[in-house]
Amino acid sequence: MTSIFNLVSSSPESPTLAASALPPITGNSASETGSESTRASLSRSGSPSDRTAATSSAGSKRPAEDLDQYAVLTAHRVRLKPAGQQELERVAKLPPAQRSIWMGGQLLKLNEQLTAIQPTNAQWDIPKTLRDKIENYTFIVLLSPVLSYYLGKTAGASSPVKLVQGILENHPSWGFTKEVRADKYKCDIVVKRIQVRLTDRRAEIKEAIMLSLGPDESITEKTVSKASKKKMAGHVKLNIVELCQVVVAKYAASNAVVTIQMCARFAFLRKILLEMTKKPQLEASGGYWALVDTELSAVRECYKDEPVKLTKLLTQSLKADQEMFGHAEVPLASTSEDNTINGPNRAQNIADSAACGMFIDDEDDY
């Protein structure tokens, strides 16, 4: 009896002593005898707390084969993949200290992954200066009389998105710095803003051109929506200078100046829209701006080595527009840098240069 008492009261870290103190017992009688002896020993082992500690200590030991089975059951319960189940079974065979270190490493790795994830509610905001420049140049670029494409889905570096992006890159003091461009998350936000604002600007310009046609039912009955007809009912035909002034007023903060080159370009744009309203089948080309890009490409290809003929063609478009929508005093051509009334402002010069493939690298805040 003393040997049994020593077995129960001894630390679980002494299995050798316990094994040597017990005689071999087999069968059901061994289980019953062991249970009775254990209960008797516990009844004499002191306070209830001591008995609880002894019981929990004795039950906390799980044989290695039981841990292997428990690992398999756990893997099935949480639906681990085969590789995960194998790793769990491997860890189950490690000593407790090594399992603790392994668990700590897993938690640290998980923390690194969570830190790398950008929270959706912590979206980077475009700095005000950069946002203002995007507002300005998405408008100014579309006003450029030398712009090659208005959509430019296949134009590469000549597309409006790339032109605005290039202008911003060449003026890092505005906020589109190397650090921002190197950060894909931030760079994507800037590019997306440029794309959205260009889409908005194109819609505003097209509407202004459409409204300038006036409430002529012969033009609008087939191709203009009811909403556009309602707007057009309160408008009269505008001459080309008035049209350009209306467009420029869409973003007055740009301080864009109406020039003869701008008038010639908008006469060309209005001519294409007029053709589209009379020939609905042209919509199959992909829409108004896609048709504009196609027509501009055809003109450039036809007169690429004959700039004089190209100028003559644009002049003819301007004269034809004046005959249809009224004559106006067109501003004289000017390349002045002092913002005279007839000269493009400095932002327009930057946009025109970019449209010609030359980006002005100037840190002045235009």
Side-chain angles (χ1 to χ4, degrees), residues 317-337:
S317 296
L318 181 56
K319 288 182 178 180
D321 185 276
Q322 288 182 312
E323 291 175 0
M324 179 174 291
F325 294 95
H327 291 271
E329 184 178 351
V330 179
L332 297 176
S334 175
T335 57
S336 63
E337 289 287 339

Side-chain angles (χ1 to χ4, degrees), residues 7-321:
L7 171 63
V8 176
S9 60
S10 63
S11 170
E13 284 76 16
S14 309
T16 305
L17 178 61
S20 61
L22 282 176
I25 302 176
T26 58
N28 294 333
S29 60
S31 175
E32 295 173 358
T33 304
S35 299
E36 293 176 358
S37 300
T38 301
R39 287 195 296 270
S41 300
L42 290 174
S43 65
R44 295 190 299 271
S45 62
S47 63
S49 61
D50 295 337
R51 291 194 300 272
T52 302
T55 303
S56 61
S57 176
S60 64
K61 299 292 288 183
R62 183 187 294 273
E65 61 273 12
D66 289 351
L67 284 178
D68 292 342
Q69 295 176 2
Y70 190 72
V72 173
L73 291 174
T74 300
H76 291 167
R77 187 175 302 147
V78 300
R79 298 184 178 181
L80 287 179
K81 293 182 179 180
Q85 178 176 334
Q86 293 176 4
E87 177 66 7
L88 188 62
E89 292 176 13
R90 185 189 69 80
V91 172
K93 298 176 182 179
L94 296 176
Q98 294 184 21
R99 284 201 301 268
S100 298
I101 295 174
W102 181 89
M103 182 63 71
Q106 293 296 313
L107 292 175
L108 289 173
K109 183 62 179 179
L110 179 60
N111 184 64
E112 291 177 356
Q113 293 174 343
L114 291 175
T115 302
I117 297 175
Q118 182 72 31
T120 55
N121 60 352
Q123 179 171 330
W124 178 72
D125 290 328
I126 300 175
K128 184 180 184 305
T129 299
L130 179 56
R131 182 177 289 269
D132 290 344
K133 295 301 180 182
I134 292 174
E135 289 294 300
N136 193 37
Y137 282 95
T138 51
F139 184 70
I140 293 293
V141 163
L142 292 178
L143 295 185
S144 174
V146 293
L147 185 64
S148 299
Y149 300 93
Y150 287 85
L151 286 176
K153 294 181 178 179
T154 59
S158 297
S159 69
V161 173
K162 291 297 184 181
L163 294 181
V164 175
Q165 193 173 342
I167 291 172
L168 298 177
E169 289 177 2
N170 282 273
H171 296 81
S173 64
W174 295 349
F176 200 40
T177 61
K178 290 182 179 180
E179 291 74 20
V180 173
R181 299 198 301 270
D183 189 324
K184 185 179 183 302
Y185 172 72
K186 294 180 180 180
C187 187
D188 287 347
I189 291 177
V190 173
V191 173
K192 182 64 176 178
R193 179 66 181 177
I194 294 172
Q195 293 171 335
V196 169
R197 295 307 291 144
L198 283 171
T199 299
D200 296 340
R201 302 300 195 195
R202 283 190 292 264
E204 293 172 354
I205 293 173
K206 180 184 176 183
E207 182 183 64
I209 298 174
M210 178 66 76
L211 295 178
S212 75
L213 300 177
D216 190 339
E217 290 299 324
S218 65
I219 293 176
T220 63
E221 61 184 359
K222 293 183 179 180
T223 60
V224 181
S225 66
K226 291 182 179 179
S228 296
K229 283 184 179 182
K230 186 176 181 180
K231 288 183 178 181
M232 294 178 72
H235 287 73
V236 296
K237 290 182 179 180
L238 300 178
N239 63 49
I240 193 61
V241 175
E242 291 171 336
L243 169 58
C244 290
Q245 290 171 341
V246 168
V247 172
V248 166
K250 293 290 183 180
Y251 187 62
S254 69
N255 295 317
V257 178
V258 177
T259 64
I260 187 172
Q261 294 90 344
M262 183 189 296
C263 290
R265 174 55 68 97
F266 272 87
F268 182 81
L269 295 177
R270 181 153 62 177
K271 173 178 174 289
I272 295 176
L273 184 60
L274 189 59
E275 291 176 354
M276 178 172 282
T277 57
K278 292 182 177 181
K279 299 177 181 179
Q281 64 271 21
L282 293 176
E283 283 285 350
S285 62
Y288 171 64
W289 293 111
L291 181 59
V292 169
D293 283 357
T294 300
E295 292 293 325
L296 283 174
S297 296
V299 169
R300 286 194 305 272
E301 182 65 24
C302 185
Y303 299 100
K304 60 182 178 180
D305 298 323
E306 301 175 287
V308 175
K309 289 186 177 181
L310 177 58
T311 301
K312 185 177 180 179
L313 174 67
L314 295 176
T315 302
Q316 290 174 347
S317 296
L318 181 56
K319 288 182 178 180
D321 185 276

